[in-house]
Amino acid sequence: MSDISTLGYVVLNVSDLDQWESFATDILGLQVGQRTDNSISLRMDEREQNILLERGTADDLAALGWEFDTFEALREYVDELRAKDVNVIECDGQVTQSRKAERVFYCIDPEGLRHEFFTGPKIAPLSKPFRSKVLVSGFETGRLGVGHTFCIAQDYPGAVKFATEKLGLRLSDYIRDSETFPGVTVDATFLHSATGRHHSIGLAYMPFPKKMHHLMVQVKSLDDVGLAFDRVRKAGVPVVMEIGHHPNDGMVSFYCAAPSGFAIEFGWGGLVIDDSTWNVRTYSQLDDWGHQQPGK
Ligand SMILES: [Fe+2]
């Protein structure tokens, strides 16, 4: 099967664009590429857009943008998905333009989550380099993509099956943790794409009112995680989990509440998978250390 290269972008449906603009730029260190009445393009690197905020009432993940290196690879993938009875449709010109890409297709999965498949992301001109107001390093993007998402599935086994058997995402590992939350076992599956960020999507079932629990963005220095944590606390942004370390992707990160209610994981040091040597494991805890919920 033609392979997804990486998770190239995400689209978020947000109700308060003004609050998001200051959170994204002043706290997280992203840059506004373009703002319209109903959207904001957020930049993390030389691309014109890595995250698209669209005005709406859902305050949730609106689409995952799966990237292909060439149109031929994308075309082949779309044909294969259709052969597997997935209803894949090409996006119209307006949507394609809003994604700042050459060609975009989409499907809706059984959970109602919109997956987009694209090629040809627009690169900003040299005269408009990425500049963060606050980062001392930069975002870890490029071949590894925008970051990762952790999504809630009402039919968790069904969602894993769709992601692996239909979308062709590869198994990274599992976490089955019955200790972190008393009386609740968290069962999560982590999946990666060809370029190997440890996971581009994690799937689990847990009581949570949104499709997306968190979006992770990764920086190139540990100092940037600490500095961002200081900015979060100084600005009074709610901390969801303090700094800690995950056993599976090796990420040192903290979680804070985005203006839409889901969380942003801000991390450093995530593993990159080499499929020729990778062993799938099952971990029994979500965290090696830290990631305490404030006040607990
Ligand atoms: Fe995460």
Side-chain angles (χ1 to χ4, degrees), residues 154-172:
Q154 299 306 312
D155 172 11
Y156 165 56
V160 171
K161 201 170 156 66
F162 183 87
T164 53
E165 293 180 12
K166 303 284 190 184
L167 299 182
L169 292 167
R170 307 172 188 185
L171 187 58
S172 307

Side-chain angles (χ1 to χ4, degrees), residues 148-150 190 199 202 213-217 241 246 248-249 251 253 255 264-266 291:
H148 73 231
T149 56
F150 192 84
F190 298 85
H199 59 283
H213 176 270
H214 69 264
L215 166 68
M216 188 286 301
V217 292
M241 285 193 272
H246 288 302
N248 61 338
D249 65 357
M251 188 83 73
S253 62
Y255 293 67
I264 297 291
E265 180 181 9
F266 198 92
H291 283 155

Side-chain angles (χ1 to χ4, degrees), residues 24-99:
T25 57
D26 301 336
I27 306 293
L28 303 181
L30 288 87
Q31 180 184 10
V32 172
Q34 186 185 13
R35 178 159 181 174
T36 70
D37 285 347
N38 290 309
S39 70
I40 297 178
S41 290
L42 292 172
R43 291 182 62 192
M44 299 168 73
D45 58 20
E46 75 283 3
R47 292 188 182 187
E48 288 198 0
Q49 178 172 286
N50 306 80
I51 298 173
L52 172 60
L53 306 178
E54 289 185 333
R55 191 191 296 278
T57 55
D59 277 312
D60 204 346
L61 178 64
L64 294 163
W66 298 108
E67 182 169 345
F68 291 79
D69 293 346
T70 63
F71 178 65
E72 290 69 30
L74 173 60
R75 179 82 250 179
E76 191 184 324
Y77 183 85
V78 167
D79 288 346
E80 286 169 346
L81 273 188
R82 286 173 176 159
K84 290 192 251 184
D85 292 328
V86 178
N87 184 24
V88 188
I89 299 164
E90 180 152 21
C91 294
D92 64 23
Q94 197 183 347
V95 171
T96 302
Q97 206 173 9
S98 76
R99 273 45 172 172

